[in-house]
Amino acid sequence: MAEELKFNYPFSRYRALREQKADSSPMTLEEVKRFLEYVAPNWYDYFLLRFMMGIRSCKVHGLQLKHIDFEHRLLNIRQNMVNGDITDVKTPKSRHNLPINDLLLTAIKRITATLTDPNDFLFTDDNCSPLDTRKIGKDIWHPTQFKNTSPL
């Protein structure tokens, strides 16, 4: 804007501060198993896919039937679902194919058994709309984590 209006922007010589990356604390295999034992059965395959593939919510919520290559056993990551809108993945590196193992193939077959249109989303809410990340966190993830805090 400053360039268009031909005036000197006072902060142009300053660079944005670098943000320090947060430390991650991934779940252990035992914690994952325990979570899957406690999660509601209709959410089991969703979280199994999330845990095994390590895919972000927005990418899982953007998965459609057309993104599954059953012949080559690949999950093709091509788009995101962000705030109810489908968007392309941000970078060419984000556009990738993930191999599907036997356990996930069985789960994906269960998930897709009733899907007929290539544009059908793998995971939807009760209204057949794509999932909302905040709602999943609030209504599924956190309640299950709370139930899951009992000792082994």
Side-chain angles (χ1 to χ4, degrees):
M1 183 86 152
E3 293 169 2
E4 291 174 15
L5 298 175
K6 298 185 184 341
F7 69 88
N8 292 330
Y9 183 64
F11 295 104
S12 62
R13 64 181 177 193
Y14 298 104
R15 293 187 184 152
L17 294 175
R18 287 187 159 196
E19 291 184 36
Q20 187 174 2
K21 290 186 178 182
D23 292 333
S24 65
S25 179
M27 294 171 70
T28 65
L29 183 57
E30 285 304 314
E31 290 170 327
V32 168
K33 286 179 181 177
R34 197 168 355 145
F35 181 92
L36 290 172
E37 286 174 13
Y38 282 94
V39 74
N42 57 320
W43 288 102
Y44 180 88
D45 290 331
Y46 169 84
F47 283 105
L48 180 67
L49 181 92
R50 293 284 312 271
F51 288 134
M52 293 192 76
M53 294 295 221
I55 308 173
R56 293 175 179 244
S57 301
C58 61
K59 291 180 181 180
V60 172
H61 298 173
L63 284 174
Q64 293 174 298
L65 184 57
K66 65 185 176 189
H67 298 129
I68 300 172
D69 181 347
F70 286 102
E71 184 179 343
H72 298 101
R73 294 177 67 159
L74 294 171
L75 194 62
N76 303 314
I77 305 300
R78 300 292 183 263
Q79 64 191 25
N80 298 317
M81 177 61 67
V82 181
N83 297 326
D85 295 323
I86 297 175
T87 62
D88 289 334
V89 291
K90 289 183 182 179
T91 65
K93 188 178 179 183
S94 298
R95 185 181 170 92
H96 58 282
N97 304 322
L98 299 171
I100 300 171
N101 65 25
D102 292 339
L103 182 62
L104 274 180
L105 183 62
T106 302
I108 289 172
K109 284 181 178 179
R110 277 193 303 265
I111 295 163
T112 60
T114 60
L115 304 181
T116 55
D117 186 318
N119 292 316
D120 285 346
F121 287 94
L122 266 59
F123 301 103
T124 59
D125 62 16
D126 294 336
N127 300 322
C128 296
S129 298
L131 296 176
D132 177 275
T133 301
R134 289 179 292 269
K135 188 167 173 46
I136 296 299
K138 186 177 124 233
D139 296 347
I140 313 298
W141 177 260
H142 292 292
T144 303
Q145 283 291 94
F146 180 72
K147 287 192 292 189
N148 189 20
T149 56
S150 61
L152 291 172

